[in-house]
Amino acid sequence: MNIPRNNRLDSLIFDNVSLRALPIDPETKNERRQIREAIHALLQPTPCPDPQIVAYSRDVADLLGLDEATCESRQFAEVFAGNQLLSGMQPHATCYGGHQFGSWAGQLGDGRAINLGEVIAADGSSQMLQLKGAGETPFSRTADGLAVLRSSVREFLCSEAMHHLGIPTTRALSLCTTGRSVWRDMFYDGNPKEEPGAVVCRVAPSFLRFGHFEILAARRENQLLKQLADFTINTYFPESAALTDERERYVHWFAEVCDRTAALVVHWMRTGFVHGVMNTDNLSILGLTIDYGPYGWLDSYDPEWTPNTSDSGGRYCYRNQPPIAQWNLIRLANAILPLIDEPAPLENCLQGFAEQYTRRAEAMTASKLGLKTYAEPLATSLFSFLGQVETDMTLFYRALADLPRDDLRANALVDTLYRPDVDALEALQVWLDQYARALKNQGIEDAARRQAMNANNPAFILRNFLAQEAIDRAESGDFAGIHALLEASRRPYDPLPKDSPFNRKRPDWARAKTGCSQLSCSS
Ligand code: AMP
Ligand code: MG
């Protein structure tokens, strides 16, 4: 694994703080096992036969100080598909547990994610590079440690789309194919198929999840729990770390996690994002969107919708995301209770989550409508209308912003409805009249309203069918669809041309198509 020294990749400087600060399992054989009294397990990525770069994010490359020529080099694909290590990289997987669909699942861990090391980025921040799909780890349980192209395209594109929407998220540097086939039973119906394999390189200050704390509490490894909490606070929560009283420090930190999680879920609700698998192992301690699996974006506004076909009860549907976030925070509170010994301060924080969420969600709803102050009956009647009459959420808010206050006509919004009829338009007109009154009462002018609304309502979202179209092309070797979506996702609030392929409702063919409105966890 010797690397030539004439490439900018060699200029990456690694400082593997987390590996230095937290215990490493002494076993270095890459064998599946339960790990005790350790966070990390050292291992090597599994080499692949033919790494090829499919796409990379210029923005993340800039953050890391990598130029275009470097990202397009042979070596880049070798490194970010898992075939070569750079000096300073120390590949490792981490141990976590989690509550999956409401039940404790024990040890999960990075089953197909391999941290390569922490890079000092161009802005001085520290960024962990992590390969997803580069082979087995001690946490792979019964699975293969690999990822297929379709799910890797979805993770790569959505990470970057989220970032540009202004939503906290893990980032994606690159997407490589591996030349290795991967067997997947996409519908879990006993018909596995061979699919192209891929690796995404994810980037974030830390990939720590609620589940990292839960597993230590479940195992009563309280000393290590304290060590992990202290490391997390000292490294990522400087305001909490500045407090001298230990208990106050932990409580302040938990309050901050509650706050960030509330802010995150408000963003998801604002843009119509449904995570799909809000298990506690998929919630980031930094409040980032993490683990893009069977996620989706609302086309028509349907609060009960979840893209995840494995979630038959709709536990993780759009509407349930705020209460589920709180449920997950309660699991985290239980896990860190041994550090504080009394539940009351944590209960206060959880109460604070509910209040924070409501306050932020109301402000968000007001801003989506261009209002100065939240108007309860107006919002309630809008959501009830949107839920009853199949309406495209993204198109609706953008079209609404363009209508003059003194001429709010339902007919002008007809294209945002999936099944426009006389009743739907009448109901919409009733709401628009109510909206016009609110705008007059709050003294809101059209230009200011349009500007405020368009800054909060994206014109571009990574609609499920758009991602699926790009995946279908990619699976036949044409990556142009991926590049076009990546480019469009960089300016999601800019108006889209009327005839843009990204400026359209979900077509009928996509209504019930796999990958478009229904996704399995198979990835
Ligand atoms: P997820 O539902 O994707 O969040 O994954 C839950 C757990 O399963 C995590 O520990 C993952 O690392 C693990 N996992 C998912 N897919 C694979 C795979 N193909 N190989 C190994 N582990 C996996
Ligand atoms: Mg996960």
Side-chain angles (χ1 to χ4, degrees):
M1 290 210 181
N2 278 342
I3 309 288
R5 291 213 59 85
N6 57 356
N7 194 298
R8 291 284 300 280
L9 279 177
D10 289 319
S11 67
L12 291 176
I13 296 168
F14 289 88
D15 183 12
N16 301 324
V17 178
S18 134
L19 209 48
R20 248 197 339 269
L22 298 166
I24 303 172
D25 189 51
E27 176 61 73
T28 52
K29 266 199 237 111
N30 191 357
E31 280 174 357
R32 290 152 206 238
R33 60 187 184 271
Q34 296 285 312
I35 281 180
R36 303 282 164 170
E37 301 290 350
I39 304 290
H40 302 299
L42 298 175
L43 75 161
Q44 297 296 313
T46 306
C48 64
D50 184 22
Q52 298 285 343
I53 184 82
V54 169
Y56 66 93
S57 159
R58 266 193 287 142
D59 304 295
V60 179
D62 277 351
L63 174 67
L64 301 179
L66 299 173
D67 61 20
E68 265 178 55
T70 302
C71 296
E72 282 158 18
S73 69
R74 177 81 218 144
Q75 190 195 10
F76 185 89
E78 294 283 349
V79 169
F80 294 109
N83 279 4
Q84 275 188 17
L85 294 178
L86 298 172
S87 155
M89 285 181 172
Q90 291 177 287
H92 61 280
T94 70
C95 181
Y96 57 80
H99 279 84
Q100 298 187 315
F101 293 91
S103 306
W104 175 243
Q107 177 179 299
L108 298 166
D110 292 321
R112 54 168 166 178
I114 300 176
N115 291 326
L116 294 174
E118 292 174 70
V119 170
I120 314 286
D123 63 0
S125 66
S126 178
Q127 302 289 338
M128 181 72 85
L129 306 185
Q130 182 183 78
L131 302 184
K132 183 166 174 181
E136 283 175 27
T137 78
F139 308 102
S140 296
R141 298 181 293 154
T142 57
D144 56 11
L146 304 175
V148 293
L149 180 60
R150 64 183 151 80
S151 64
S152 304
V153 169
R154 286 168 48 82
E155 170 125 30
F156 173 79
L157 286 176
C158 203
S159 307
E160 290 307 282
M162 269 323 218
H163 169 75
H164 293 292
L165 283 164
I167 306 181
T169 178
T170 62
R171 305 290 303 270
L173 170 64
S174 57
L175 166 63
C176 294
T177 47
T178 57
R180 176 168 48 205
S181 349
V182 176
W183 285 88
R184 285 290 180 270
D185 185 356
M186 187 170 18
F187 303 102
Y188 300 115
D189 61 358
N191 287 306
K193 274 192 5 203
E194 220 173 344
E195 296 191 47
V199 174
V200 169
C201 177
R202 309 198 284 193
V203 179
S206 167
F207 290 90
L208 283 171
R209 301 138 190 273
F210 290 10
H212 280 98
F213 299 86
E214 287 182 280
I215 190 75
L216 300 179
R219 289 174 168 165
R220 306 214 190 320
E221 294 179 2
N222 285 358
Q223 202 44 48
L224 184 51
L225 174 67
K226 178 170 171 13
Q227 198 182 340
L228 178 63
D230 290 346
F231 168 78
T232 304
I233 293 169
N234 291 332
T235 316
Y236 308 109
F237 293 84
E239 279 183 27
S240 308
L243 298 173
T244 45
D245 180 83
E246 187 168 77
R247 182 176 297 191
E248 269 180 41
R249 207 156 57 227
Y250 292 130
V251 173
H252 188 276
W253 165 55
F254 183 64
E256 175 69 20
V257 176
C258 290
D259 199 37
R260 290 192 194 187
T261 306
L264 179 68
V265 176
V266 169
H267 277 302
W268 291 355
M269 302 305 278
R270 169 172 68 84
T271 52
F273 178 76
V274 184
H275 182 285
V277 206
M278 284 180 73
N279 293 331
T280 55
D281 51 301
N282 291 335
L283 259 82
S284 144
I285 202 73
L286 300 187
L288 309 173
T289 313
I290 192 171
D291 278 10
Y292 293 90
Y295 69 84
W297 299 83
L298 291 179
D299 292 305
S300 51
Y301 179 88
D302 174 3
E304 311 287 327
W305 183 69
T306 173
N308 185 356
T309 51
S310 314
D311 183 8
S312 51
R315 178 181 171 88
Y316 297 140
C317 71
Y318 175 74
R319 170 169 68 199
N320 282 356
Q321 296 188 115
I324 286 291
Q326 192 181 32
W327 191 91
N328 289 345
L329 285 161
I330 297 169
R331 306 283 83 72
L332 178 62
N334 279 324
I336 64 169
L337 186 58
L339 304 175
I340 298 158
D341 270 344
E342 53 163 342
L346 297 178
E347 284 164 4
N348 286 342
C349 297
L350 290 164
Q351 181 59 33
F353 169 86
E355 286 157 14
Q356 275 289 337
Y357 179 80
T358 305
R359 195 180 57 74
R360 286 177 190 268
E362 289 180 356
M364 174 270 284
T365 301
S367 65
K368 280 182 82 66
L369 292 173
L371 296 170
K372 287 182 194 146
T373 47
Y374 176 68
E376 166 76 41
L378 182 70
T380 312
S381 52
L382 173 63
F383 295 142
S384 129
F385 167 81
L386 292 176
Q388 276 162 29
V389 176
E390 220 180 320
T391 311
D392 192 275
M393 175 171 164
T394 303
L395 294 181
F396 177 82
Y397 284 104
R398 292 292 293 209
L400 184 65
D402 283 337
L403 297 190
R405 184 180 82 178
D406 297 326
D407 193 18
L408 286 169
R409 274 179 305 110
N411 264 335
L413 297 174
V414 69
D415 288 345
T416 72
L417 308 183
Y418 280 89
R419 301 172 199 275
D421 58 27
V422 176
D423 290 346
L425 290 171
E426 264 176 21
L428 178 53
Q429 192 59 57
V430 170
W431 182 80
L432 285 171
D433 294 343
Q434 203 182 342
Y435 181 48
R437 284 194 295 277
L439 293 175
K440 278 183 199 129
N441 288 342
Q442 296 191 20
I444 292 162
E445 300 302 329
D446 284 340
R449 173 169 64 95
R450 186 181 311 114
Q451 200 186 17
M453 289 175 76
N454 287 351
N456 284 285
N457 299 314
F460 175 87
I461 53 164
L462 185 65
R463 290 176 189 269
N464 314 307
F465 79 88
L466 293 175
Q468 188 57 41
E469 284 176 336
I471 289 166
D472 290 343
R473 283 172 75 181
E475 286 179 342
S476 58
D478 168 11
F479 302 132
I482 298 173
H483 300 149
L485 284 175
L486 178 63
E487 197 48 38
S489 71
R490 296 177 77 219
R491 279 174 297 277
Y493 298 98
D494 284 4
L496 285 168
K498 257 241 154 313
D499 57 351
S500 159
F502 306 137
N503 197 12
R504 55 189 169 123
K505 281 189 278 204
R506 175 196 58 221
D508 251 356
W509 60 259
R511 184 178 284 272
K513 185 178 184 285
T514 304
C516 296
S517 63
Q518 298 172 349
L519 289 132
S520 78
C521 280
S522 151
S523 59

